[in-house]
Amino acid sequence: MTSRVRIGVQLQPQHSPDYALIRDAVRRAEDIGVDIAFNWDHFYPLSGDPDGAHFECWTMLGAWAEQTERIEFGPLVTCNSYRNPELLADMARTVDHISGGRVILGIGSGWFERDYTEYGYEFGTAGSRLDALGEALDRIDSRMAQLNPPPTRKIPVLVGGGGERKTLRHVAAHADIWHSFVDVETYRRKAAILAEHCAAVDRDPSAIERSAELKGRKNIDDVLRFADDITAEGVSLLTYAVSGPDYDLSTLERLVAWRDAREG
């Protein structure tokens, strides 16, 4: 597990009627020193006007590959249900090459029912979607090994979620990064369960980078206090989300300064 703390931003692709606003935001994020820029994989806004402006995930990531130079980037997270796993592997490999090896493949089982019904995907159940995710991760691994040319690096796989019976088992088997939405006590409990799943597949749990969402904090002091507490538990990737059309990065600037002060 890496010891250096990294700062991520999720640029939620909603309520931005002009893509130029998102392009400006990802460039500003890179300029202030953010390590990773994420978007998300939905078709409609998740907050505010449910029919507000919105853009698609992977075509945007292809643009980010050319519009940025240093930062890593990817979906937080792509929905396994929306694309054939072999196609998704090929898409990620292609964006990896366009960017010179900076894409992260964040993936989850999906949950937003409107996406499914409006776009014609079978919603199923939470259990069936998680089972499909496990099958897809195997297929993605297999396809990555067959692609010509191969990826420029082993593309990091980020799995989001904290389901103790299935999701954390998928994390143990496939993930390079585990992304969670937790407080400190919940993180400790779920990390112990993840360690049990890792033991079952003979994997060192310290090989999986730990990522946490900085959300629901009232002010920057609360954000930084939580950042101190959760990184003390071994979490090394912290992500803060902002929405359009303004994409206010002031909190990210404080987080980058906090990161740099830690490093001395």
Side-chain angles (χ1 to χ4, degrees):
M1 184 187 303
T2 181
S3 59
R4 177 181 177 270
V5 172
R6 302 194 291 168
I7 301 300
V9 60
Q10 185 186 51
L11 301 172
Q12 299 172 345
Q14 59 179 6
H15 307 308
S16 297
D18 184 346
Y19 174 72
L21 298 170
I22 300 175
R23 181 175 59 236
D24 172 71
V26 74
R27 287 173 169 170
R28 286 190 288 122
E30 183 168 58
D31 287 344
I32 67 174
V34 165
D35 297 287
I36 306 173
F38 295 107
N39 60 6
W40 69 26
D41 192 16
H42 295 289
F43 306 129
Y44 298 93
L46 300 186
S47 62
D49 179 1
D51 295 313
H54 200 281
F55 288 102
E56 194 273 332
C57 172
W58 275 93
T59 43
M60 182 181 299
L61 294 175
W64 286 7
E66 292 281 9
Q67 291 161 357
T68 61
E69 297 179 355
R70 175 190 60 82
I71 56 174
E72 292 185 291
F73 60 93
L76 190 62
V77 289
T78 199
C79 176
N80 173 64
S81 305
Y82 302 159
R83 298 163 192 87
N84 168 281
E86 284 76 14
L87 171 62
L88 181 60
D90 204 341
M91 292 167 63
R93 183 280 309 253
T94 299
V95 176
D96 165 73
H97 274 265
I98 295 169
S99 68
R102 293 182 290 121
V103 75
I104 292 171
L105 177 53
I107 191 167
S109 61
W111 63 274
F112 189 40
E113 188 170 5
R114 185 183 181 189
D115 282 347
Y116 285 79
T117 56
E118 295 270 6
Y119 276 62
Y121 298 105
E122 181 180 351
F123 189 54
T125 65
S128 68
R129 294 192 300 275
L130 281 165
D131 290 341
L133 174 62
E135 295 170 3
L137 286 164
D138 286 332
R139 290 167 61 182
I140 289 168
D141 287 345
S142 176
R143 181 55 53 182
M144 286 288 187
Q146 299 176 57
L147 292 170
N148 183 17
T152 67
R153 63 171 180 168
K154 197 283 183 187
I155 296 174
V157 173
L158 177 154
V159 174
E164 297 174 6
R165 188 169 66 88
K166 292 185 178 182
T167 302
L168 292 181
R169 176 161 51 84
H170 297 331
V171 172
H174 295 280
D176 301 289
I177 307 170
W178 167 42
H179 182 76
S180 56
F181 306 84
V182 290
D183 55 33
V184 171
E185 291 300 322
T186 303
Y187 172 79
R188 289 174 181 160
R189 180 171 58 81
K190 290 186 180 293
I193 294 169
L194 174 58
E196 294 174 359
H197 285 298
C198 286
V201 294
D202 195 25
R203 188 177 184 196
D204 182 353
S206 69
I208 303 170
E209 183 177 7
R210 311 305 168 89
S211 171
E213 187 86 6
L214 297 172
K215 60 182 274 187
R217 316 292 161 188
K218 294 180 180 179
N219 53 51
I220 185 60
D221 291 333
D222 286 342
V223 169
L224 294 179
R225 188 177 302 111
F226 177 72
D228 282 327
D229 291 344
I230 201 71
T231 54
E233 300 294 323
V235 171
S236 59
L237 173 56
L238 303 174
T239 298
Y240 188 82
V242 295
S243 185
D246 298 330
Y247 294 106
D248 179 359
L249 302 185
S250 57
T251 296
L252 272 299
E253 292 175 338
R254 293 285 301 276
L255 283 165
V256 168
W258 169 87
R259 178 203 66 195
D260 293 347
R262 284 173 52 99
E263 296 177 0

